[in-house]
Amino acid sequence: MCPTRRLLDRIGTKWTSMAVKMLASAAPGELRFAEFQRRMPGVSQKMLSVTLRNLTRDGLVVRRVEPTVPPRVHYRLTDLGLSLEEVLAAVRDWAEEHMAEIDASGAG
């Protein structure tokens, strides 16, 4: 399988890109799960959990649990995740610059 297609299948959701952006803004620090929910309006608890689990599985995010009651769960980007944020930031910049042209082309 094509590596590009495999990567896009894993990171191509809006929640993944937004989660990476949120973590990059906190780097080198961490974000707690509850803070994610506040910063990402519209994401369900389940979808956020799935997104963070997938990012952790892929080595882009590290998860740390404090043994408190209830447990406090923290997330931070790995070096690999930080390198992905650079690429995603470039895509966001490109989209902001060209999305109006793309929308106009689709309207004709």
Side-chain angles (χ1 to χ4, degrees), residues 7-98:
L7 177 66
L8 290 174
D9 286 345
R10 288 185 169 177
I11 66 162
T13 72
K14 75 176 180 178
W15 299 123
T16 297
S17 178
M18 191 177 285
V20 171
K21 182 180 179 179
M22 293 295 113
L23 284 168
S25 70
E30 302 173 316
L31 282 181
R32 286 186 51 205
F33 189 89
E35 182 63 20
F36 264 111
Q37 287 187 294
R38 283 192 289 279
R39 291 186 184 196
M40 294 173 62
V43 68
S44 69
Q45 183 174 347
K46 180 180 180 181
M47 184 51 64
L48 181 56
S49 292
V50 167
T51 299
L52 291 168
R53 187 176 324 123
N54 290 341
L55 288 167
T56 301
R57 174 203 64 207
D58 292 338
L60 301 167
V61 168
V62 172
R63 180 179 185 263
R64 181 176 67 84
V65 180
E66 285 183 42
T68 58
V69 177
R72 290 184 179 165
V73 183
H74 304 261
Y75 298 88
R76 71 171 172 80
L77 288 176
T78 62
D79 289 342
L80 185 62
L82 283 168
S83 71
L84 175 61
E85 168 52 20
E86 293 174 21
V87 175
L88 291 176
V91 170
R92 285 191 300 271
D93 291 345
W94 188 91
E96 288 173 12
E97 185 175 335
H98 298 287

